[in-house]
Amino acid sequence: MENWYLINKIENYNKIKDKKNITSFQKILLANRDITDAYKIDSIFNSNIDNLHSPLLMRDMQKGVDVLFDSMMKNEKIMISGDYDQDGVAATVILYKGIKLFYENVLYSIPDRIEDGYGLNKNIVDDCIENNVKLIITCDNGIAAFEAIDYAKKNNIRVIVTDHHEVVNIDGVDNLPNADAVINPHRMDDDYPFDDICGAVVAYKFIDAIIELYGKNIGLEKKSIYFLLQFAMLGTVCDMMKIVDENRIIVIEGLRLINKTNNIGIKSLLNEIKWEKPVDIYTVGFLIGPIINASGRIYTAKLGVELFLTDNIDEANTYSKTLVELNDERKEMTQKSVELAIENIEYENIHKNDIIVVYDSSIHESICGLVAGRVKDKYNKPTLILTDSSNEGILKGSGRSISAYNMFEKFNNFRDEFVAFGGHAMACGLSIEKEKLKSFNEKIQLDSNLVEDDFNKSIDLDYCLNFKNIDKNLINQINELSPYGYGFSEPIFASKNVFVRDIFLLGKDKNVLKIKFEQDGILLDAINFRIDEILDKLEINIDDIYIIKNKNYDIVYKIGENTFNGYTSIQLNLISMR
C-alpha cells in the first residue's frame, strides 16, 4: 500500500511569511523543506561564494594547517590517503591539486577495496615508511582508523585526519583517533555551523584555511583555489549531501565551473559518454558519479584520480574509455546479483523479517551496497547484503536503510559483534565473523522497533493543484528555487479526479507511458519511464493498460516542460496514480 501525505508545515511557513520578494507559493515549498533561517534562504536566492562558512570555525583546522606547514618547512614527504568512491576521489584530487599549488613533495594513495578495505590501513602506512613519508593527510576517511594511525605514530609519521563520517561515540564521549589533528564537523566539540558536508568539502575547507591563514606568505589568494569547487560539487552530489546551506553555494558554483571547465579529464569523460547538454545534478549523480565509482568497485579508484589530474589528452581519453567500460561491467554484475538476491529472499521468505539480511558468496563485495539499495527499494525495508571477504571466515557487507530506521545507531548497539563498522543513518559498511552472523541477525530483528506502517511506501506532496493553476508562471517560480537534489527535493504535486483522455506506449520496447489527462477542460500530457511501477499501483498488467482510458484518477507528478520541433509545452512527470 502506498500512502500520500500532504505536507503542512504551518509553523515553518509562519516564520517566513513576511519575507519580501518571495511568492507565497515559494514560501510553502521552502517551509516544506524546513528552509526558514536567513542564511539558507539567502543561499537559494543570492548564492555567493563569499558566503561560505569560514573553515577556521572547524575544530583542529588551524592545528592541522600548522602541522602541514611545519612538515613543509622540513621539506618532508607528504602522503594524501583517500578513499575509493567518488567523494574520496574528489577529496584526494582537491588536496593533491591544492597543496601542489605551493608544495611539490606530495604523493597520494587510494586503498584497494578488496585487499585493503576502507580507509587508512597498515598497508598504506607501510608504504609510507618505505617511501620516507613523514606526514599523512587522510580525506573522506580516518575518523575510525585507530590502529593504522597508532601504527603510523609509532613509526614517527604524523597524521592529519580530514573526514566527514560519524564519530564513534562511547558513553556520550567522542572516541577520536590519536592523530595530530582531527578535522571533522561531526565532533561533539566542533562549532562549525553546518555538519552535513562531504569529505571533498572538508578537504576544500582545509585548502581554504591554508589560504586564509597563510595565503600572503605563499603568494595565493582565495580565487586561485575556486577551480577546486567543481570537485567539491562532485563529492557533494555523489555522496548525497543535502543541497542546502553552504552545500547549495558549492553545488551552484561547482556546476557553473564544470560547464566551462578546463579540466581535460572531465571534458574527456563527458565526450566519451556523448553528453552534449549542460552538466546538471542528474549528469553528476547518475552518470559521472557511477562511472568514477565503478573503477573503485571492480578495479582501482586511482583511475578516477588520474583522470582528473592528467594534462595529457591521450591519457585522459584512455582513462575515460576504461572507466565507461568498467561501469558497463558493473551494471551487468549488479543486475545479476540483484536478481539472485531477490530469488533467495523470496524462496526463504526473508522479506517477512523487519530487516532483510542476505549472505551470498557469489556477490562481489564491491557491489554489496548497490544490491542492498535495489533490494531496499523493492521491499522498502532496511537491507544488509553480505558476501565472503578475502579473509577466511570474515564476511563483508553493506546496508541501506529507510527513514524510519537509523541503521548506524541501531547496528552500533552491537558494535562488539563486528570486525569493522562505519556509516550513517541511511547506510553502513561492516565486517563480521561468519559464525556470528546468525546471532547478529536475530539481535537486530528483536531490536528493530519497526511497525508495519514503516514499510509502506509514502509520497510527500507539496501542493494539491488544479490544472488551471499549472502555467508558465508557476514553472518559473519552481525554477527560481533550483537546483533540486537530495535534501532539497524537486516539488511533488497531486491533482484529484482527473480524466484519462488518451494513452500511448512509446519507445522501441513500448515501455514508456504517455497519458493525456484532462481536468476542467484543460489538457496536459504526462510521461512515465517506469511503467511497471504504475502497473503495480493500478494492479493491472501491460495488456490491460487501455482499460484506464475514459476513467478518472487521482495523480501525483512533478511539473516540467518538453521541447519538440522548437515548441515548448508543459509536461507532467507522472509518479503515481490511483
Side-chain angles (χ1 to χ4, degrees):
M1 179 182 176
E2 182 178 79
N3 298 319
W4 298 357
Y5 298 107
L6 185 63
I7 309 171
N8 184 24
K9 298 189 176 182
I10 189 66
E11 290 185 9
N12 282 350
Y13 182 84
N14 287 335
K15 292 177 183 177
I16 61 176
K17 65 180 181 180
D18 296 325
K19 287 280 185 183
K20 305 295 184 184
N21 302 318
I22 306 176
T23 69
S24 296
F25 175 72
Q26 290 174 329
K27 289 172 185 175
I28 291 172
L29 298 183
L30 294 176
N32 288 349
R33 285 151 186 75
D34 299 317
I35 305 297
T36 59
D37 72 70
Y39 181 89
K40 288 183 178 179
I41 292 173
D42 198 50
S43 70
I44 292 170
F45 292 98
N46 301 293
S47 178
N48 190 319
I49 195 170
D50 294 330
N51 292 335
L52 292 175
H53 302 307
S54 170
L56 299 179
L57 295 174
M58 212 173 292
R59 179 73 62 174
D60 274 9
M61 184 63 82
Q62 177 149 1
K63 184 189 292 187
V65 172
D66 287 342
V67 170
L68 168 66
F69 268 74
D70 182 69
S71 183
M72 287 165 46
M73 295 304 247
K74 297 173 181 176
N75 198 32
E76 293 177 344
K77 194 175 292 184
I78 298 167
M79 175 70 78
I80 297 162
S81 179
D83 187 29
Y84 41 63
D85 68 358
Q86 169 64 81
D87 188 25
V89 166
T92 302
V93 171
I94 287 169
L95 287 183
Y96 187 86
K97 281 181 171 285
I99 294 173
K100 276 278 194 175
L101 290 172
F102 52 87
Y103 189 68
E104 282 296 322
N105 209 358
V106 186
L107 309 170
Y108 80 86
S109 178
I110 304 284
D112 183 277
R113 183 186 287 263
I114 307 299
E115 296 300 321
D116 299 318
Y118 167 75
L120 182 66
N121 57 74
K122 187 175 182 295
N123 291 342
I124 292 176
V125 176
D126 282 336
D127 286 342
C128 290
I129 294 168
E130 184 178 340
N131 286 285
N132 198 32
V133 168
K134 293 300 180 182
L135 173 63
I136 296 172
I137 307 176
T138 74
C139 53
D140 195 35
N141 76 95
I143 198 64
F146 300 101
E147 293 182 7
I149 290 173
D150 286 343
Y151 181 57
K153 298 285 286 181
K154 286 177 184 177
N155 284 277
N156 299 314
I157 299 174
R158 290 185 286 182
V159 181
I160 300 169
V161 169
T162 77
D163 200 355
H164 76 118
H165 291 94
E166 296 285 350
V167 179
V168 177
N169 190 280
I170 301 175
D171 297 326
V173 178
D174 280 345
N175 186 22
L176 301 175
N178 184 33
D180 295 86
V182 179
I183 302 166
N184 186 324
H186 288 288
R187 287 178 55 163
M188 290 180 66
D189 60 354
D190 197 287
D191 296 325
Y192 197 73
F194 183 64
D195 63 9
D196 197 19
I197 55 178
C198 68
V201 170
V202 178
Y204 180 85
K205 293 291 178 178
F206 186 72
I207 302 299
D208 192 20
I210 292 170
I211 304 302
E212 196 160 314
L213 288 167
Y214 301 114
K216 291 182 179 178
N217 302 70
I218 57 178
L220 293 173
E221 52 187 350
K222 287 230 174 187
K223 66 180 182 181
S224 62
I225 64 166
Y226 285 168
F227 76 100
L228 297 174
L229 283 169
Q230 61 192 309
F231 302 106
M233 177 273 297
L234 290 176
T236 299
V237 173
C238 296
D239 223 40
M240 294 188 69
M241 298 293 106
K242 292 181 179 179
I243 312 298
V244 297
D245 206 277
E246 70 173 350
N247 280 346
R248 189 166 197 82
I249 300 172
I250 289 166
V251 168
I252 290 172
E253 183 63 19
L255 287 172
R256 186 187 69 80
L257 288 165
I258 207 169
N259 276 293
K260 60 173 190 178
T261 188
N262 292 321
N263 186 274
I264 289 173
I266 293 174
K267 291 197 288 188
S268 171
L269 184 57
L270 292 171
N271 183 64
E272 181 66 28
I273 62 174
K274 297 176 172 57
W275 189 260
E276 297 176 350
K277 303 175 187 176
V279 175
D280 57 13
I281 286 181
Y282 171 83
T283 322
V284 173
F286 291 93
L287 297 177
I288 296 175
I291 289 170
I292 300 301
N293 281 336
S295 68
R297 293 185 190 281
I298 55 181
Y299 186 50
T300 171
K302 290 180 181 178
L303 269 181
V305 177
E306 288 300 316
L307 174 70
F308 295 142
L309 293 182
T310 186
D311 291 322
N312 184 298
I313 186 61
D314 292 330
E315 282 186 358
N317 290 339
T318 299
Y319 293 143
S320 294
K321 188 175 188 298
T322 303
L323 285 164
V324 171
E325 289 172 351
L326 288 170
N327 191 45
D328 290 339
E329 182 182 347
R330 186 273 308 167
K331 289 178 185 177
E332 185 176 346
M333 288 169 57
T334 302
Q335 183 60 35
K336 289 180 179 178
S337 295
V338 169
E339 291 170 0
L340 283 171
I342 290 173
E343 184 179 321
N344 187 11
I345 290 165
E346 296 288 340
Y347 181 75
E348 298 186 20
N349 288 320
I350 297 172
H351 59 290
K352 294 182 178 180
N353 296 334
D354 286 358
I355 319 294
I356 294 174
V357 179
V358 176
Y359 159 64
D360 188 333
S361 61
S362 71
I363 297 176
H364 195 281
E365 72 172 69
S366 68
I367 59 171
C368 283
L370 297 175
V371 177
R374 296 272 290 275
V375 172
K376 183 267 297 181
D377 288 343
K378 178 176 175 61
Y379 297 102
N380 204 45
K381 289 189 171 186
T383 300
L384 177 65
I385 303 292
L386 302 111
T387 191
D388 292 327
S389 75
S390 56
N391 297 318
E392 188 174 351
I394 303 297
L395 306 181
K396 289 185 74 172
S398 293
R400 297 295 183 266
S401 197
I402 58 176
S403 58
Y405 187 81
N406 187 317
M407 185 167 272
F408 180 82
E409 286 186 1
K410 283 293 189 178
F411 282 19
N412 196 48
N413 291 335
F414 309 103
R415 177 175 281 274
D416 291 343
E417 302 276 340
F418 306 131
V419 175
F421 173 66
H424 50 80
M426 300 299 285
C428 77
L430 61 83
S431 298
I432 188 171
E433 293 175 19
K434 190 173 183 178
E435 63 184 23
K436 290 184 177 181
L437 179 60
K438 183 178 178 181
S439 64
F440 169 67
N441 190 10
E442 291 171 351
K443 289 175 183 177
I444 61 174
Q445 303 297 343
L446 289 172
D447 186 54
S448 80
N449 300 125
L450 292 166
V451 297
E452 195 60 35
D453 195 52
D454 292 329
F455 306 130
N456 291 330
K457 292 186 177 181
S458 63
I459 301 177
D460 292 330
L461 307 173
D462 281 291
Y463 213 90
C464 190
L465 290 170
N466 186 284
F467 278 12
K468 67 183 180 182
N469 300 124
I470 302 174
D471 57 16
K472 183 63 178 176
N473 176 56
L474 188 78
I475 292 174
N476 287 339
Q477 291 183 62
I478 294 170
N479 290 342
E480 283 176 4
L481 303 185
S482 66
Y484 296 98
Y486 181 72
F488 193 80
S489 58
E490 189 175 352
I492 296 177
F493 306 100
S495 293
K496 294 181 178 180
N497 201 32
V498 298
F499 184 72
V500 177
R501 175 63 65 189
D502 210 347
I503 300 169
F504 307 91
L505 294 178
L506 309 177
K508 182 179 66 175
D509 299 320
K510 302 298 182 184
N511 58 354
V512 177
L513 176 63
K514 180 179 178 181
I515 301 178
K516 190 175 288 292
F517 288 114
E518 182 178 357
Q519 186 183 55
D520 293 343
I522 298 173
L523 292 170
L524 288 176
D525 288 336
I527 197 84
N528 176 275
F529 295 94
R530 296 183 175 182
I531 190 170
D532 289 343
E533 294 181 6
I534 297 295
L535 294 173
D536 286 344
K537 291 167 184 178
L538 295 174
E539 298 181 344
I540 60 175
N541 60 50
I542 188 67
D543 296 328
D544 299 325
I545 187 65
Y546 292 99
I547 68 173
I548 71 173
K549 187 175 177 180
N550 297 323
K551 294 180 181 178
N552 287 67
Y553 289 88
D554 297 338
I555 63 173
V556 172
Y557 53 88
K558 297 176 182 178
I559 301 175
E561 293 180 303
N562 180 51
T563 300
F564 183 71
N565 285 339
Y567 175 73
T568 299
S569 60
I570 295 171
Q571 179 174 268
L572 308 182
N573 296 312
L574 184 65
I575 297 171
S576 188
M577 58 189 295
R578 63 188 185 192

